[in-house]
Amino acid sequence: MPVVSNAELSSKRQDILEGARRCFAEHGYEGATVRRLEEAVGKSRGAIFHHFGDKEGLFLALAREDAARMAEVVAQYGLVDVMRDMLARPERYEWLYTRLEIITMLRTDPAFRAQWQAHQSVLDQAVRERLEQNAAKGRMRDDVPIEVLHLYLETVLDGFISRFAAGEPPERLSSLLDLVEETIRCHAIHSINDSSKTSQK
């Protein structure tokens, strides 16, 4: 029996992930049946699930890969820039439309929720560290706890993906991201206070 190198195994896994990404983007999580995954990937179910166990494992592997990639962007530029990248290169993120379906699974399936959260932890950590770094440099508003700003940005991300999937014009979403950035910068609270003082004179 020929020995398969680690590089070949890695290449095969990546080919499966890319095909699965397209399949989930086109059909959603539930609609991405095993038959459709086979067609998209160009491999048998035995070959696919040899690497990933089952459909859920394949989906979670995609979640982990994308979370790691987004975490790299967050570390340098922040979560808002991840969303800007979605507008610039939508083909890389279309599978995230399945996030709308996943909300139900997160609520009803504790085992899936635990695995999803574990795979997303690298992104959560990157967002928190980025916020803490900006706060230390005086770039963040200091009247709101980091935990709340973190939750705010993640909530914006969920809503952004929802509107993005619904076909909201990119220019409007871009303007929304401008507003989000303004609300978390350190001068935002000072501008509000200055306006309040002016109106009281």
Side-chain angles (χ1 to χ4, degrees):
M1 178 178 290
V3 177
V4 180
S5 69
N6 288 336
E8 288 176 301
L9 284 174
S10 178
S11 177
K12 288 180 179 179
R13 283 177 56 89
Q14 198 58 43
D15 287 345
I16 292 171
L17 285 172
E18 290 308 313
R21 190 190 307 278
R22 293 191 297 271
C23 189
F24 284 125
E26 182 177 357
H27 302 291
Y29 182 82
E30 292 298 332
T33 61
V34 173
R35 180 180 60 79
R36 283 173 170 166
L37 284 168
E38 286 179 315
E39 292 173 354
V41 172
K43 299 182 184 298
S44 70
R45 69 186 64 196
I48 295 171
F49 297 137
H50 169 74
H51 291 279
F52 298 99
D54 55 21
K55 177 177 148 180
E56 183 177 298
L58 176 58
F59 182 83
L60 288 169
L62 275 174
R64 181 175 63 249
E65 182 179 81
D66 276 26
R69 187 177 68 222
M70 287 191 284
E72 291 179 3
V73 177
V74 168
Q76 284 191 297
Y77 306 107
L79 188 59
V80 170
D81 264 58
V82 169
M83 290 181 266
R84 292 196 189 283
D85 194 46
M86 290 181 189
L87 294 177
R89 293 183 284 184
E91 70 282 353
R92 296 183 65 185
Y93 297 95
E94 287 178 341
W95 85 277
L96 284 176
Y97 297 166
T98 57
R99 196 180 183 104
L100 306 179
E101 295 177 72
I102 296 308
I103 291 173
T104 299
M105 296 174 66
L106 293 175
R107 188 178 68 251
T108 60
D109 187 337
F112 179 85
R113 181 170 63 248
Q115 291 186 74
W116 173 267
Q117 290 172 343
H119 290 317
Q120 294 297 299
S121 62
V122 63
L123 178 58
D124 291 340
Q125 183 64 26
V127 172
R128 182 178 181 84
E129 289 178 357
R130 177 72 180 180
L131 289 171
E132 290 173 344
Q133 290 168 5
N134 281 340
K137 294 175 182 177
R139 297 174 180 172
M140 302 287 299
R141 57 188 301 167
D142 56 10
D143 63 318
V144 179
I146 292 291
E147 293 78 8
V148 176
L149 290 175
H150 188 175
L151 177 61
Y152 168 60
L153 287 175
E154 289 192 334
T155 302
V156 168
L157 175 62
D158 285 337
F160 179 90
I161 291 173
S162 177
R163 302 296 298 215
F164 188 39
E168 191 73 37
E171 60 273 14
R172 292 182 62 181
L173 290 173
S174 181
S175 295
L176 168 69
L177 296 180
D178 291 340
L179 178 61
V180 171
E181 284 189 320
E182 285 295 317
T183 61
I184 61 175
R185 288 176 180 164
C186 63
H187 65 76
I189 187 62
H190 299 307
S191 298
I192 293 172
N193 287 339
D194 290 344
S195 297
S196 177
K197 290 175 183 177
T198 300
S199 65
Q200 292 174 11
K201 290 181 179 180

